Amino acid sequence: MKMARWALLLMTAWLLAGVIGCERNRERAALPPSAGEPPLPVSFMNIAWRTAKTDTDFQRELERRLNVTFTPSFIPRSDYEQKLKVALTTGQIPDLVQLLPDGPQHYTSVQVKAIEEGMFADLTPYIRSASFARDYPNLAAYPANVWDKLTYKGKIYGIPRYLEPETFDGFYMRRDLLEAAGLAIPETVDELADTLIRLSSPPDRYGLEIGGAKALDGAGLKSISVAFTGVMNWGVEDKGNFTYQNFMPEYKQYLLWLKKLYDAKAIDPEFALGADVEAYKKGEAAAKAHRWHSYAAAADPRMTTVPFAAHVGPAADSVLIPPVRGPRGWAVDANIGFYTQTVIRAKGNEGQIPRYLKLIDRLAAPEYRELVTHGVEGVHHYVKDGRKHNLPRFEDDCVACWSWFQHEARDIMADTLQRGLKRPEEFTRTIETIYARYKEMNLTNPHYSLVSDTLLTRWGNFTKDLNDNRVKVVMGIMTMDEWDGYVNALVASDIYKDIQQELKVVWEQSR
């Protein structure tokens, strides 16, 4: 059911997107649905990045054009992981499910169990087919190594979504606050900490936004930990010996760096509770570690990917700073290449997998992205001086909600520059520097394409206290001696040794 809904979106995108801009395209978009087929029901569960509206005129128009009926389940990001876990545990899943790569590899232990119980359709015969590029040209445009990373025991179950650059972490600071304080852009991790402390004015404004306990090891701040350790997630030596970054002695320096900020009140004291993840946007933080495209300031603030809230004022301005240097190198990350993936329910969808893949292939087309970016001309936007301007109906119909289905392998750099940045040359130079530093670091994620049953099935319980203990160190509740005791016990355990040995064996086999 969910897949059919995707089908609706795909064709709608394809048909409607072509509509935008000229009469000929409008005629094409007005083509009736395929004759002789009843509407195809499609159920799905998907992350909602803001309050979603369903049963709108836009949704009904999509359903009419694609001859489908949707049963959407848009779930807020903050609730998604738990609801996804419940759905997979009970086996009550819709046709299409958006999975999060929240485990030590791309699949969590719960997701692995679902795979082994046959809950997801095996897509390998289609993805590895000689006719893949002909049958699914948009999906075939994905980098080959992305599919390799999705492999579990030689089979592919997921379709990557939100393709991302190979290095994607960035660090944004308030340019206007730096200039007002007469501060230079920091170049080292120590200078960065000192600058964040200088820009703090608690409780009205903290130096650095941290959106919860997991953020200490999440996108953005992960690059800072790399500057202290020289390793992304797992490091591997020439002889195949694997080491987890958080268990390295150098990782303690990263925790102490965070503790320095916490002690100086440059971090919200309640950060571990999932403090406001929009603090930077709302002017309540002077810096945020995030994806490098997110806050690039556009000349028209409305075109900024994540603009400041209106009350912050027009003087607020962001600068993406070049990677700072730490004891073991530059603050950069090695990205997995995508954010999430889509799986197709196997039960009840036998014989329909090619149709589902055709639909998702359409979702990966630029025409679909154009449609959900602007909607239908004359209804959701108008064109003036060659540019599209949204009408009120764009929001009323929640057109952008359907953009959460995108699978397009888009060029994020080009997309960001097309937003009309204030300082495109500066932004381009900084991105070039990020990539140069990334190549210099030679970072890898060697474990993603390797299978360790112990890592996949036991890591979650094995490290169940890791997030809390990081927080305890930062807040001064756990001493470094206590942290050492915790880590040493894990490293000495049979579970960790089994993981290391399993990774080493498959690493040697893959060479």
Side-chain angles (χ1 to χ4, degrees):
M1 292 171 63
K2 183 166 191 171
M3 195 61 172
R5 184 165 285 184
W6 280 75
L8 172 68
L9 290 177
L10 278 171
M11 277 205 94
T12 303
W14 191 55
L15 297 175
L16 290 181
V19 169
I20 300 173
C22 72
E23 187 65 31
R24 179 180 175 184
N25 286 340
R26 281 195 290 273
E27 292 173 359
R28 180 183 178 188
L31 290 173
S34 300
E37 293 183 345
L40 180 65
V42 181
S43 62
F44 65 86
M45 62 185 296
N46 201 92
I47 293 174
W49 294 102
R50 59 181 176 85
T51 302
K53 294 180 184 178
T54 57
D55 195 28
T56 64
D57 289 341
F58 186 68
Q59 176 181 325
R60 285 187 287 273
E61 178 64 9
L62 289 178
E63 291 175 335
R64 183 188 73 80
R65 293 173 185 268
L66 295 182
N67 195 27
V68 300
T69 56
F70 283 140
T71 304
S73 179
F74 287 118
I75 301 170
R77 177 64 179 87
S78 58
D79 301 328
Y80 196 83
E81 287 179 46
Q82 182 60 33
K83 292 193 175 183
L84 174 62
K85 183 177 181 180
V86 171
L88 295 178
T89 301
T90 61
Q92 302 300 309
I93 64 172
D95 298 310
L96 298 180
V97 180
Q98 182 178 10
L99 293 188
L100 293 176
D102 196 43
Q105 298 190 275
H106 288 314
Y107 298 109
T108 66
S109 58
V110 173
Q111 293 167 10
V112 167
K113 187 172 184 292
I115 290 173
E116 294 179 342
E117 291 178 351
M119 200 175 298
F120 307 150
D122 177 10
L123 306 179
T124 314
Y126 310 97
I127 306 301
R128 299 304 190 196
S129 170
S131 63
F132 179 52
R134 181 194 66 203
D135 297 336
Y136 314 105
N138 295 301
L139 296 181
Y142 290 0
N145 63 352
V146 171
W147 297 108
D148 294 337
K149 292 175 182 177
L150 283 169
T151 301
Y152 175 70
K153 293 187 176 179
K155 295 183 178 181
I156 298 172
Y157 296 92
I159 302 166
R161 297 177 57 177
Y162 305 131
L163 296 195
E164 298 176 339
E166 58 184 324
T167 182
F168 206 19
D169 274 2
F171 204 98
Y172 276 95
M173 304 189 74
R174 285 279 298 275
R175 183 193 305 269
D176 54 309
L177 297 180
L178 286 169
E179 292 176 350
L183 298 174
I185 291 177
E187 297 181 357
T188 67
V189 290
D190 290 336
E191 290 178 4
L192 178 58
D194 292 341
T195 302
L196 294 173
I197 292 170
R198 289 279 303 276
L199 295 180
S200 298
S201 182
D204 297 327
R205 184 181 68 239
Y206 294 97
L208 177 63
E209 174 189 318
I210 297 181
K214 285 188 175 182
L216 301 183
D217 197 49
L221 283 176
K222 188 69 178 182
S223 61
I224 303 297
S225 68
V226 168
F228 284 96
T229 63
V231 170
M232 186 63 190
N233 292 300
W234 286 83
V236 58
E237 300 174 353
D238 292 340
K239 295 183 179 181
N241 297 315
F242 281 75
T243 302
Y244 188 57
Q245 185 218 47
N246 286 199
F247 299 163
M248 296 172 63
E250 295 87 349
Y251 190 76
K252 293 187 292 184
Q253 298 304 312
Y254 166 63
L255 295 179
L256 290 174
W257 182 85
L258 290 167
K259 186 176 186 301
K260 176 180 178 178
L261 297 179
Y262 181 84
D263 290 344
K265 296 182 173 57
I267 297 174
D268 188 327
E270 296 184 349
F271 79 91
L273 302 178
D276 194 349
V277 295
E278 293 189 339
Y280 182 74
K281 174 180 178 177
K282 296 192 296 189
E284 297 169 3
K288 181 168 184 172
H290 204 254
R291 297 313 198 184
W292 51 247
H293 75 302
S294 302
Y295 298 90
D300 179 352
R302 295 171 298 178
M303 293 300 294
T304 300
T305 303
V306 184
F308 285 110
H311 72 268
V312 181
D317 194 9
S318 292
V319 56
L320 175 66
I321 70 171
V324 293
R325 179 181 280 281
R328 295 292 297 274
W330 300 101
V332 292
D333 77 319
N335 194 33
I336 63 176
F338 60 92
Y339 175 56
T340 66
Q341 55 181 302
T342 297
V343 293
I344 303 170
R345 189 184 68 207
K347 185 177 180 180
N349 288 325
E350 297 85 353
Q352 295 295 322
I353 303 306
R355 187 177 180 185
Y356 289 166
L357 286 173
K358 285 286 188 182
L359 292 172
I360 296 176
D361 186 71
R362 292 280 185 81
L363 290 175
E367 293 84 359
Y368 177 77
R369 179 168 175 253
E370 176 68 17
L371 174 66
V372 296
T373 300
H374 298 288
V376 180
E377 184 179 350
V379 178
H380 302 107
H381 76 272
Y382 66 93
V383 179
K384 182 179 180 181
D385 299 329
R387 296 187 63 179
K388 298 179 178 70
H389 304 269
N390 291 342
L391 293 165
R393 280 286 297 277
F394 183 88
E395 290 295 330
D396 294 341
D397 276 356
C398 203
V399 172
C401 293
W402 301 99
S403 69
W404 303 331
F405 279 135
Q406 288 185 68
H407 285 67
E408 186 188 358
R410 65 192 179 99
D411 185 336
I412 292 180
M413 181 64 177
D415 177 73
T416 304
L417 291 173
Q418 287 172 4
R419 292 176 176 273
L421 301 187
K422 283 184 181 179
R423 304 172 182 86
E425 295 84 4
E426 176 189 84
F427 180 78
T428 300
R429 286 195 303 271
T430 302
I431 299 303
E432 290 173 349
T433 300
I434 291 174
Y435 270 83
R437 300 309 187 209
Y438 162 72
K439 293 183 183 302
E440 184 178 334
M441 290 292 290
N442 195 30
L443 290 177
T444 62
N445 279 304
H447 63 297
Y448 278 134
S449 57
L450 307 177
V451 176
S452 163
D453 287 337
T454 306
L455 176 63
L456 286 167
T457 60
R458 305 196 65 179
W459 185 258
N461 188 61
F462 178 63
T463 58
K464 60 183 174 61
D465 296 323
L466 184 54
N467 283 331
D468 288 343
N469 286 342
R470 285 194 208 98
V471 171
K472 289 178 181 178
V473 171
V474 173
M475 297 178 68
I477 299 172
M478 173 181 275
T479 66
M480 273 304 171
D481 286 341
E482 291 171 328
W483 170 266
D484 286 340
Y486 164 71
V487 169
N488 290 339
L490 294 181
V491 170
S493 70
D494 290 339
I495 292 176
Y496 187 70
K497 292 178 180 178
D498 287 346
I499 292 172
Q500 289 180 303
Q501 181 59 27
E502 290 168 9
L503 289 175
K504 182 176 183 178
V505 169
V506 291
W507 179 83
E508 290 176 340
Q509 293 172 348
S510 66
R511 289 172 63 84

